[in-house]
Structures are given as structure tokens and as C-alpha cells.
Amino acid sequence: MQAQTLEQRRRNAKFVKDQDARRGKSENEIKKRTKSQSKSPISPFWLGILGFVVFGGLVFEVVTRIFFR
């Protein structure tokens, strides 16, 4: 048998932890839990960039209208 790598040990530990969390629960409870943890379709980095473009442009426009009539 081949020795486990560090990555395999980590993944095995995560799997065991998930299995322990599932133990004693019905399939419906498990499905509800996985459905409620949906990921956002856009990463926080891109949300920040989008916010910077939108609100940065808004702030720039207000400043130019106030100081450079």
C-alpha cells in the first residue's frame, strides 16, 4: 500500500468530518443544508471592481459638477 500524501490526508480528514456531521440525519435534512449554502455567482473581487466603477464614476461626476461648473 502506498503512503498518503499531505493532500490526501487533508481530504480524508475533511471527508470524515462531513460524514460525522451527516451521521444520524435524514436525507431531507442533508439536502436542505446543501441547498441553503448556495454560492454567489460572482466573486467578491469582481463585486468590488463593479462597485468601484459605478460609485467611483458617480463620485467623480459629482466632484466635477461642484468644482468645475
Side-chain angles (χ1 to χ4, degrees):
M1 187 187 300
Q2 196 175 22
Q4 284 186 341
T5 64
L6 183 59
E7 182 66 24
Q8 286 173 327
R9 278 191 219 119
R10 275 193 210 127
R11 289 185 183 202
N12 284 341
K14 183 180 182 296
F15 178 78
V16 168
K17 184 179 174 185
D18 290 343
Q19 291 300 311
D20 287 343
R22 289 174 162 226
R23 190 171 294 142
K25 295 182 181 168
S26 68
E27 282 295 319
N28 290 335
E29 288 176 311
I30 293 168
K31 287 179 184 176
K32 285 179 188 176
R33 181 177 170 213
T34 56
K35 282 185 181 179
S36 66
Q37 295 176 350
S38 62
K39 256 176 66 175
S40 175
I42 185 168
S43 71
F45 173 76
W46 289 112
L47 280 175
I49 295 294
L50 183 64
F52 174 76
V53 168
V54 171
F55 293 111
L58 181 67
V59 169
F60 181 74
E61 185 67 29
V62 168
V63 168
T64 55
R65 286 185 187 255
I66 291 174
F67 293 112
F68 304 109
R69 286 186 173 193

